[in-house]
Every structure is written in structure tokens, then in C-alpha cells.
Amino acid sequence: MNKVLKTLVFFLLFHNCIIFQIFSQDKAIDIDFLKHQDSHETDFQISNSKEFYAVVHRGENIADSIEVRTIDGKRILKLLPEDLVTSGRFSQNGEWYIYTSSNGNNGYYNLKEKKINVISGETCRFIDGDKKTYALYRLDTNWYLKCLEDRRTIQVAIKRAEDLIIAGHMILCLNADSIVTVNLEKYERKVIKKIGIDISAVIIDNNAQRVAFAGRQSLNKQIIDGLYYFTIGDTELIAGPFVKRDQQQEKEESKAVVPVSFAKKGEVLIYKVRSKMDMRYSDSSYSVKVDIWNYKDPVSLSSKSSMEDNSYEEHFEGIKLTTGDTFQVSRPGEMVIGKTDNNNYCILENSYRKYDHFWRKDSWQTVTIANIGDSSRKVIINKTNDNITDIKLSPNEKFVIWFNNTDKQYYCYNIAREQTSCITDKLPVAIYEKADFIASMKPYGVAGWSDGDSSILINDENDIWIIDVLGSKSRRITSGMGRKKGLMFRLMPSHAFETDLLVQRNDVIRLVVYDKTTKRNGFAYINSLNDSVPHLLAMEDALFYFPKLYYGNGSIDMGGIPPTRLADGDFLVRRQTVESGISYCLTKDFRHFTEVWRDSPPVGYVWMKTELHTWKNSKGDLLQGILYKPSNFDARKKYPVIFDYYEKRSDELHHFMKPRFSTCRIDIPYYVSNGYLIFVPDIIYKAGETCQSATDCVVSAARYLSTFDWIDTMKLGLQGHSFGGYQTNCIITHSNLFAAACEASGASNLTSANGELFGVNYQGGARHFVYEEYQGNLRSPMFENPDLYIKNSPVFFVKNVSTPLLIMHNKDDGAVLFSQAVEMYLGLYRAMKPVWLLQYDGHGHGTWGEASVDFTIRMKQFFDHYLKGEKAPVWMSKGVPYYLRSKYSGLDLEDIPIEE
């Protein structure tokens, strides 16, 4: 009996264990999941009082939804996708959560009373006043302004929302009939001036005292564009310069005179003038439409044809409001590239051959400083080929700083003394990224200013320097700790777009820290600029925030959002890891963090974890890469691996990603959840060996991973987009190690790509820059070294291919032309190699919407067939005839074995 009982107990325990395992297993992410989840990063908002927070869920295929909660997590408001909310936020006074909706049911939620109020209006805009919050909305054809606090509503005489301006406790209503001011405290209305013009481009000065706008009238078959401005509280409307044009000939909507900004404490108004170019040589009897390309043209004909209307030119002028005198600020062909809030000076640059400067000696660059006060001009850089970048005015407009990309140094122009000096040539370290590509050797940048502009802070790779711009004395404010310990220090900004911070010498200076080797991230501080000893705070295996790191593909924004200082002095910090998601935390000291809310990985689905791996390529270069493993990883199994690459991406180790459809690149969470390993290796590029460099680094990564027992060495795949797509073509033509490859929007023939123009209709510039100085990295023109271009062109080596290739490339791709895909496809087709090409009508350098859903399914079917041995779909095994396109997908699976 005991034996029978024991057997029964064992059976029940075993049975329950199996049932538990079945029901407790996480599911793989599927297409249906991707269609119904928020695939974009979730926005987090917190009220100024820290009593409430809101979470905005954004999805690629679903409408936004919003949850408002108390700080302890209790939900008090939920807006669903069917509410069609377009935006939402807390009011500045902390009393409301306000949101707009595309269905006209706009709302404001009383956070204390927990009551929602609806404003029915086709258009609604919420405005924060000094202490109150207002809703500007349109009902039928009328506009109304409502105060949320006292619920008083007045009708305002405007036609568009942008015709209403808040200026302190006053609002201005501008329309074709009149200009009206309304006192928000007294609800008093005052007519400044009755006019009869079409108003646009309204601006207001920093002190909310003066207003300017562009106005248009039609009079005696003429269009008259003019400039108008007035002082708030004054009834006088002053008319500025006018431009008259023939109404029958001029049909464009853009006005000839448009205000841009106030300068000199509101005493000067800067405006843009759009005028016809010199047409003296035009001949009305000549009507042949011929494009004439001339090697002496300042820009290529292709670039000229892409301009909206190349019979016009623009320049800037100024008007002194006290005298009415006008003066020229910029000349035709000059661009305004720098100014400050003071607006006493502006920096001008001539329109030079930006992409041809590296080889054309006549592609010179001139930089001029213009004095807004006395309308004087001074050329500070005259006709140089040095490729001057990072040009900026100091905050108090005492100096102009720029970086010379030829000698890799910063220069300073002293406006008062009219003198130029190099300020970084005495530094013992490089202040620019020693990148693989010439075009990517950018400066680490100006960090900030101090001492009334007389001191500038400049980054090197690891530390921050303070330099006396008058005497060029310099020292590290981080005492060299960065270089000694392999850390990178940067000033912590107060918001994501803050640059050139103003640093007070005796203030505590907060820093962000990054370890380039381990990818640890954290915070530090120095007591003052006089102290210069960094004190490390939190340093974790996570990503908090770090400013942009320069790489060949532009700049990777590490962490995205810097810590935000709240009203009471606390900071809101974002912390993320791949495994746990993004946490929003409060901190006072950057040592201890209190989590408020977390954007977690999907519950009930197989997720992923990351590992940082290090190995050497065949040349002995030390490389790093990220291995993404499923959360249910089992070392006893054999896993297929797909390699995903684009230059150097190992700094993404802790970057949290949400599953989404593949627009062009493989979606890592989706594939890992479905039983794949994804490896993202860094690639080091040698000049003239771009194709071989990619092959060497990825092949060495594959051989390194193959030493692990849980790697299925016969099931290795490749996937890359754009430059990564080109590298995929390189690898499969130089290695037979891989069982399947997918490339999207990649080049295949540098001998032809080098001679193409950007843009589908050839409206862009020449591509020589890309292949000589940028990612092509060949560093010589094709006519001098044609063999080098052939050597780096995969299409010439298609006979070596043994890897089945899936290509996705679209006809409307202006970045890499569709002809590049056709060349690769036809080469493989002629060599009788397995190849497929997907082309989506109306899509460019990637896909979106239903096309991205389709591409996601097909790419996974392709990899599942070759790397998992699953059935092939009809579109692969038999194809889909052209007459059935848009009628039959061919996604049905067939039981067809893989050809050996």
C-alpha cells in the first residue's frame, strides 16, 4: 500500500511539475505582439511638485495612451488609444494634467480634485501664464481663450493659433483686421491698430516688449510685402521696408520680407530679404530646356536644380528701430551660422563647396563677423581650404572660437583686439577623435565657458581642460584622472540641448563619467574650478547618460536624456539596462536613487541579456562586441547566430530596446526571443581596405564565438543596412563561413557608386566625399587608383559567393541608389547563386508601416529556413509572378529542404 501511495504521489508531483513548466514558460515575441505593443520609447513626465507622474506610451502601429499616477504609483487617470490623444503634459503651476486630442475632445484634469474637464474644439493649444493656465481653442470658426483656474472665457479675434502670442500677463491677437491686446489679469481688451494686411512670421523679443511680423497686401495688381513692428502698450504700428512685385508673375506664398530676431536689447530688428537674382541676360525668345553643367560652377548643377526656386536669393538686413535706418547684415551667398541671445554680433559664412572642399582648391571658405550695432563687418578667416568647423561666439560676445580640421587645433579671435591665436597647440594630448575615416576625425568639443568669457573649457578624449583664451595657460580641471584610469569625464548639462555651459568658478561642478572599456557609467563632481579633483559618485553597469561620442556614422547619443533638475533641487535620472529596462529615479546626491517608475521588458515573453566580449582580429587588433542571449539561454543547446554590424556599436551594451518591426535592420529583441543569438562586433577600418577590414573583423568574431560549445557553427548568418549592407556584400564575396545573409540598402560597386549623385532624381551633390574621405575610406580618386575601387567592390567577386543572399532595396532610395542592388542581384543571378531582391514601392532608404511588417516576416522566413531548417515560403521556393504583386504574398510555407 505504501509503495502504491508513493508511486501515486510521485506521479502527481511529476505531472504537476510538467503542467507548471508548460504554463510558466515565456512565449516568443511574434508578429501579433509587435502590432499591438508600444514599440517606441515611453515618455516619462513628472510634475514640479513631485506628487504626480505621467507615462506616455507611444506605438508605431497604435495610437498613444497616457497614464497619470500619484508618486506612490496609484493610477488616477488613463487615456486610451481610442481617445486619440496627440500630446499631454503637466501644467507649470502643477494643478493640471492637460492634453489634446485629434477627435476634438481636449481635456484638463484637476490633479487635486481628480476631475476631468473636456474642451470641445477642432484645434486646442494649452498655454502656461505666470501663475495660471489657459486653453486656446477653436469652435466652428471662432477662437476662444479660457482660463482653467477661474473658468473665464473670452473670444479672441484671430484666424490661426500662431496669431496669438503670450507676453507676460498680456496676450496679443493679430489678424488682418486689427491688432488687439488682452490683459489676462483684468480681461481688458485694447485695440492697438486696425489694419488690412495678411499677417505671418510673428516674433517677440526676449523681454516680451516688442513684436514684429511680416505683412502682405494686394494693391493695384501688385503684391506688397512689408515689415511691421510695435511696442506692447503703444498704439503706434510702424511699417518697415517694403518689396513690391507683380501679382500676375509672382504666385509663391513665401514673403519677400520676414522678421528673424531682435538684437541690441530690442533696439534693432533683423529680417530676411528674398529677392530675384540678376535676370539681365534672360531672353524671352529662348525656350529650350537644357541643363548646362560647367566645371567652374560654384555648386554642381544637380544641387542647383534641387533648390526650391533658384531664381531667388536671400540675405539678411537690419533696421534700427529708434531711427528707422536700415543696413545690410549678410550678403547674398552668406549664411548666418552663429549668434547669441545678446545678438550684438553674428557670424557669417560663405556658401562654399561643402562636399568638394577636400579636393577643390577653389572651394575656399570665408568667415565674417558682423557688428549689429554699427553695421560694420570684419573678415576673420579669409579664403581657407582648412575646413573650419565648430564656429561659435562666446556667451558675452568677446571672442569667436573655431576648430581647424587641417591642423586639428582650436583658434580664438579676440573681437576687441582683432587678433587671432591658436589656444590648444600647447596641450599634450589630442582634442579630436582619431577615427578610422578622415571625415570622422571631429573635435571632442567645447564644454563651456567661465570667467566672463576669458576661460574656455575644452574636452579631450578623457579629461576636461580650462584654457585662458588671452594667455593660453591651460590645465585639466579633472586633474588627469580620466587618462590615468581610462575614464571619460564631461560636464553634466541641465537639458539635452544645452551646449557651451556657463560655469561659475566657485560653484560645485557636476560631471558624468564613462568607462570606455567596461561600459560602466556614472557621476562625479569637483568642488570648484580651483579644486580640480574629481570625486566619483555612483558608477554602475548601466547607462545613465553620457554626451555624444563621435564615431564614423555621426554621433551616438549615449543615454539620450541628461538628469533633470526639479524645482526643489532634486534630480530626475534615467537608468537603463537591457535586462531590466529603463528606470526613472529621483536623487539628491547621485549616490542613492529612488525608483519612481520603470519601463520594463514585456512580461510573459522571452527577453534577452547582454555580454561584452573581447577578441583579436587577424592583424592583432583588440575588438569588442555585444552578445545578445535569450533570457532562457541553455548552454546545453546549439544556437544559430546572426551578426549585426555598423562600424563600432559596443557602447550600446546597456541600451534598452523595445521590439519593433524591422524597417531595415534586424530587430534584436524579436530574433533573440525566437531562439537566435545576435552578435554586434566593432569593426576597425584600414585605409584602402574597407571591404577586407569588415570581412576580417566579422570573420574573426565568428571564429571566436565558434569556440563556445553552444554555438551552431554551421548556422551563422549576416545582416546589415546601408553601410552595413555594403559590408554584408563584402563578407559573402570573401568568406564561405556563413549560411545566410541579408543586406538592406547597401552598395555593391564602388566604381559606379562613386560616380553617382545623391538623390533619386540626381538632385543631390557628388558622392566622391563618401568614398574618399568617409565610409569608403579609399583616400584617392578612382582615376588615380582604379584597382583600389575594384578591390573594394563586392560585385566583381560574386563568383566566390556560396552564401544565399536576401536583398532589400527600394527604388526611391536617395542615399544608396537602387541600381546598386540591381548590380549585385544580376551578378549573382548570372553566376547562378541563390539570391532574392525585395523592392517596396514608395519607400526609400528603409521601410515603414505595412511594408516594414512585410519585410519583417520575409526576412525571418529567410533566416528560419537557412539557419533553423524550417520550411521555405513560396516566394523563395517558386517566386511570385509580377502580375500577382499586391494580390498574393507568397508567404505560405512549403516543405522544401535546404539545398546542400
Side-chain angles (χ1 to χ4, degrees):
M1 185 66 181
N2 290 336
K3 187 175 182 180
V4 174
L5 185 59
K6 288 181 180 179
T7 303
L8 180 60
V9 170
F10 174 79
F11 172 78
L12 290 173
L13 289 173
F14 178 77
H15 179 266
N16 289 337
C17 183
I18 295 297
I19 295 296
F20 175 77
Q21 288 183 350
I22 291 173
F23 285 97
S24 64
Q25 283 182 345
D26 289 338
K27 298 180 294 184
I29 293 171
D30 57 17
I31 293 296
D32 188 63
F33 174 86
L34 296 179
K35 286 182 178 179
H36 296 93
Q37 65 103 38
D38 53 312
S39 55
H40 294 294
E41 187 170 305
T42 302
D43 292 341
F44 179 85
Q45 305 163 346
I46 192 166
S47 64
N48 286 333
S49 65
K50 295 193 305 183
E51 296 180 79
F52 308 94
Y53 68 87
V55 179
V56 183
H57 301 279
R58 303 191 184 280
E60 186 175 13
N61 300 288
I62 58 175
D64 294 355
S65 62
I66 299 177
E67 293 183 66
V68 180
R69 296 176 178 266
T70 58
I71 201 66
D72 58 3
K74 182 181 178 182
R75 189 173 70 196
I76 57 175
L77 174 66
K78 184 170 185 178
L79 301 169
L80 301 173
E82 49 264 36
D83 293 318
L84 301 178
V85 175
T86 55
S87 65
R89 63 178 177 86
F90 290 102
S91 62
Q92 284 186 6
N93 62 13
E95 293 188 24
W96 312 96
Y97 190 82
I98 48 184
Y99 63 90
T100 57
S101 171
S102 59
N103 65 8
N105 291 324
N106 313 286
Y108 54 103
Y109 180 79
N110 190 309
L111 295 167
K112 296 294 174 65
E113 298 178 1
K114 298 180 176 52
K115 181 180 178 182
I116 196 166
N117 301 274
V118 175
I119 296 177
S120 296
E122 301 168 26
T123 304
C124 184
R125 170 186 162 199
F126 288 98
I127 303 166
D128 290 297
D130 288 343
K131 296 180 181 180
K132 297 180 180 180
T133 309
Y134 302 89
L136 174 68
Y137 61 98
R138 188 181 71 186
L139 196 58
D140 297 326
T141 59
N142 298 318
W143 284 86
Y144 299 90
L145 189 73
K146 179 173 185 173
C147 176
L148 305 190
E149 283 76 18
D150 60 25
R151 299 189 179 184
R152 293 181 65 178
T153 303
I154 59 171
Q155 186 173 344
V156 290
I158 58 174
K159 291 183 178 180
R160 302 165 301 181
E162 54 266 32
D163 294 337
L164 184 141
I165 297 177
I166 297 287
H169 63 277
M170 304 285 290
I171 62 169
L172 292 97
C173 308
L174 299 94
N175 58 54
D177 298 321
S178 62
I179 300 173
V180 178
T181 62
V182 178
N183 188 310
L184 292 175
E185 294 178 350
K186 301 178 181 179
Y187 282 85
E188 292 178 350
R189 196 184 315 234
K190 183 178 181 181
V191 177
I192 293 181
K193 189 80 174 179
K194 289 199 171 184
I195 53 179
I197 57 177
D198 176 26
I199 294 174
S200 65
V202 182
I203 65 169
I204 190 167
D205 69 355
N206 292 334
N207 297 320
Q209 293 297 314
R210 295 187 174 181
V211 177
F213 57 88
R216 168 171 288 182
Q217 301 180 66
S218 295
L219 187 65
N220 297 327
K221 295 183 178 181
Q222 281 189 325
I223 294 175
I224 304 175
D225 287 341
L227 195 67
Y228 299 83
Y229 53 95
F230 63 92
T231 301
I232 294 176
D234 194 349
T235 58
E236 184 180 8
L237 179 66
I238 304 171
F242 290 100
V243 175
K244 298 181 180 180
R245 295 177 294 182
D246 193 311
Q247 191 175 30
Q248 294 179 345
Q249 296 178 1
E250 306 298 337
K251 298 180 180 179
E252 77 284 345
E253 295 181 359
S254 55
K255 290 182 171 58
V257 185
V258 178
V260 176
S261 64
F262 287 93
K264 297 290 291 184
K265 298 181 180 179
E267 297 175 1
V268 174
L269 175 62
I270 307 298
Y271 57 94
K272 180 173 67 175
V273 179
R274 188 171 188 260
S275 57
K276 264 189 173 297
M277 298 182 74
D278 188 355
M279 303 295 287
R280 285 176 295 174
Y281 301 103
S282 62
D283 183 358
S284 59
S285 65
Y286 185 76
S287 59
V288 179
K289 293 184 177 180
V290 55
D291 296 335
I292 301 173
W293 297 43
N294 190 316
Y295 76 101
K296 294 183 179 180
D297 282 344
V299 292
S300 69
L301 178 74
S302 60
S303 296
K304 289 191 293 185
S305 66
S306 69
M307 296 178 185
E308 180 183 351
D309 188 343
N310 56 26
S311 64
Y312 284 86
E313 60 187 5
E314 295 178 347
H315 66 277
F316 292 88
E317 295 181 2
I319 181 170
K320 297 179 180 179
L321 302 183
T322 53
T323 64
D325 296 334
T326 61
F327 58 93
Q328 193 170 44
V329 176
S330 70
R331 297 166 182 168
E334 288 182 329
M335 300 174 292
V336 177
I337 61 170
K339 60 188 183 68
T340 69
D341 291 338
N342 297 322
N343 274 330
N344 296 314
Y345 295 91
C346 67
I347 306 299
L348 310 170
E349 181 183 52
N350 66 308
S351 301
Y352 69 107
R353 294 183 176 96
K354 186 175 181 180
Y355 291 108
D356 294 342
H357 72 271
F358 70 98
W359 65 272
R360 288 200 68 134
K361 297 305 179 186
D362 60 345
S363 179
W364 43 263
Q365 182 182 8
T366 293
V367 178
T368 302
I369 183 170
N371 188 321
I372 303 300
D374 60 17
S375 68
S376 62
R377 297 163 52 95
K378 176 73 176 179
V379 174
I380 58 177
I381 304 173
N382 189 31
K383 293 188 176 182
T384 181
N385 292 103
D386 288 337
N387 186 20
I388 305 301
T389 59
D390 208 17
I391 307 169
K392 56 188 67 183
L393 270 166
S394 63
N396 293 303
E397 300 184 318
K398 296 179 180 179
F399 306 98
V400 181
I401 301 293
W402 65 85
F403 185 77
N404 185 313
N405 282 279
T406 298
D407 63 14
K408 311 297 183 190
Q409 301 293 344
Y410 270 102
Y411 286 79
C412 174
Y413 175 78
N414 187 317
I415 296 175
R417 298 179 184 177
E418 298 186 351
Q419 295 176 345
T420 300
S421 60
C422 181
I423 59 174
T424 56
D425 54 341
K426 300 292 193 300
L427 299 185
V429 294
I431 55 173
Y432 65 96
E433 169 75 14
K434 294 181 179 180
D436 297 338
F437 311 139
I438 293 175
S440 300
M441 295 180 183
K442 300 179 181 180
Y444 287 110
V446 172
W449 295 83
S450 187
D451 302 328
D453 286 6
S454 62
S455 297
I456 186 172
L457 286 83
I458 290 179
N459 300 316
D460 69 20
E461 181 179 11
N462 301 98
D463 293 293
I464 307 170
W465 294 79
I466 184 168
I467 300 171
D468 177 2
V469 294
L470 295 174
S472 292
K473 293 181 180 180
S474 61
R475 62 181 176 83
R476 295 179 178 95
I477 69 167
T478 48
S479 70
M481 182 187 289
R483 185 161 297 273
K484 293 173 187 175
K485 295 190 175 183
L487 302 175
M488 300 176 71
F489 288 102
R490 295 293 183 266
L491 298 184
M492 188 177 82
S494 59
H495 57 78
F497 303 104
E498 184 176 24
T499 59
D500 301 348
L501 279 71
L502 295 177
V503 180
Q504 301 301 320
R505 179 165 287 275
N506 295 317
D507 286 355
V508 172
I509 301 169
R510 299 190 182 278
L511 308 171
V512 287
V513 193
Y514 186 66
D515 189 317
K516 195 75 172 60
T517 302
T518 66
K519 317 304 179 187
R520 288 167 64 84
N521 184 205
F523 304 94
Y525 72 94
I526 57 177
N527 285 316
S528 70
L529 288 178
N530 299 316
D531 181 8
S532 298
V533 177
H535 303 274
L536 292 177
L537 300 169
M539 195 75 176
E540 298 184 15
D541 287 314
L543 179 57
F544 289 103
Y545 168 78
F546 198 80
K548 294 180 178 180
L549 298 173
Y550 285 107
Y551 293 125
N553 61 322
S555 51
I556 297 175
D557 195 356
M558 299 294 294
I561 302 175
T564 303
R565 192 183 189 101
L566 303 178
D568 64 353
D570 285 3
F571 287 85
L572 178 67
V573 177
R574 204 170 70 149
R575 178 190 185 275
Q576 60 181 303
T577 67
V578 168
E579 293 86 347
S580 62
I582 303 178
S583 297
Y584 293 85
C585 308
L586 294 174
T587 184
K588 296 180 181 294
D589 56 9
F590 291 94
R591 293 181 186 272
H592 307 93
F593 303 90
T594 302
E595 183 176 284
V596 179
W597 181 79
R598 177 180 297 186
D599 190 3
S600 300
V603 177
Y605 290 87
V606 177
W607 192 238
M608 59 185 183
K609 51 189 176 182
T610 59
E611 294 175 355
L612 183 65
H613 286 256
T614 304
W615 74 100
K616 291 182 179 180
N617 63 7
S618 66
K619 300 184 184 304
D621 298 316
L622 198 64
L623 301 173
Q624 289 186 310
I626 308 170
L627 179 63
Y628 293 87
K629 289 180 174 181
S631 53
N632 60 358
F633 175 79
D634 186 347
R636 297 169 297 180
K637 294 182 178 180
K638 293 279 189 181
Y639 288 88
V641 185
I642 298 177
F643 293 83
D644 173 32
Y645 32 78
Y646 195 105
E647 300 183 15
K648 299 178 181 69
R649 286 171 46 199
S650 60
D651 287 319
E652 297 175 10
L653 178 67
H654 300 301
H655 176 61
F656 177 68
M657 295 172 280
K658 288 194 172 182
R660 60 185 305 173
F661 290 111
S662 296
T663 58
C664 48
R665 273 179 50 195
I666 195 169
D667 183 69
I668 294 176
Y670 176 50
Y671 274 78
V672 173
S673 183
N674 281 272
Y676 287 91
L677 303 185
I678 303 293
F679 193 70
V680 181
D682 285 347
I683 299 176
I684 295 176
Y685 301 91
K686 307 296 183 183
E689 299 179 7
T690 311
C691 213
Q692 187 54 45
S693 295
T695 302
D696 184 24
C697 292
V698 176
V699 167
S700 67
R703 288 176 175 157
Y704 161 73
L705 278 187
S706 295
T707 61
F708 296 98
D709 293 337
W710 30 266
I711 296 293
D712 189 338
T713 58
M714 302 302 292
K715 304 297 182 183
L716 306 180
L718 303 168
Q719 207 279 330
H721 168 249
S722 192
F723 185 49
Y726 161 72
Q727 292 171 106
T728 302
N729 292 331
C730 287
I731 296 167
I732 65 170
T733 52
H734 292 80
S735 172
N736 59 5
L737 194 60
F738 302 93
C742 173
E743 73 98 342
S745 310
S748 62
N749 185 355
L750 301 196
T751 67
S752 59
N754 175 69
E756 294 170 343
L757 298 173
F758 283 103
V760 178
N761 298 313
Y762 305 105
Q763 75 271 27
R767 295 178 185 262
H768 304 127
F769 169 79
V770 174
Y771 298 107
E772 293 181 45
E773 299 253 312
Y774 189 32
Q775 290 175 327
N777 206 27
L778 302 183
R779 305 197 182 185
S780 67
M782 188 169 67
F783 57 79
E784 288 185 358
N785 200 343
D787 291 342
L788 188 63
Y789 282 74
I790 294 172
K791 174 185 173 183
N792 285 278
S793 297
V795 74
F796 290 100
F797 307 98
V798 293
K799 69 176 183 179
N800 301 330
V801 173
S802 62
T803 304
L805 177 65
L806 173 63
I807 304 172
M808 191 281 287
H809 209 130
N810 302 316
K811 292 179 182 177
D812 288 347
D813 191 339
V816 180
L817 300 191
F818 179 63
S819 57
Q820 289 294 306
V822 175
E823 288 193 50
M824 190 67 182
Y825 174 83
L826 290 179
L828 292 167
Y829 174 80
R830 177 63 180 82
M832 298 185 69
K833 307 290 185 178
V835 60
W836 295 262
L837 171 59
L838 304 176
Q839 191 285 134
Y840 294 94
D841 287 353
H843 293 258
H845 202 48
T847 61
W848 65 90
E850 288 301 317
S852 65
V853 177
D854 188 85
F855 177 53
T856 300
I857 295 171
R858 295 184 193 277
M859 179 166 60
K860 184 153 183 304
Q861 286 183 332
F862 172 79
F863 279 126
D864 283 349
H865 178 59
Y866 283 108
L867 302 186
K868 287 189 172 183
E870 296 186 5
K871 296 177 181 180
V874 172
W875 68 269
M876 286 178 59
S877 61
K878 296 179 180 179
V880 177
Y882 188 81
Y883 72 88
L884 285 178
R885 72 192 302 261
S886 301
K887 297 180 177 67
Y888 174 59
S889 68
L891 296 174
D892 309 308
L893 299 178
E894 291 199 333
D895 194 5
I896 297 177
I898 299 174
E899 296 181 6
E900 298 295 337

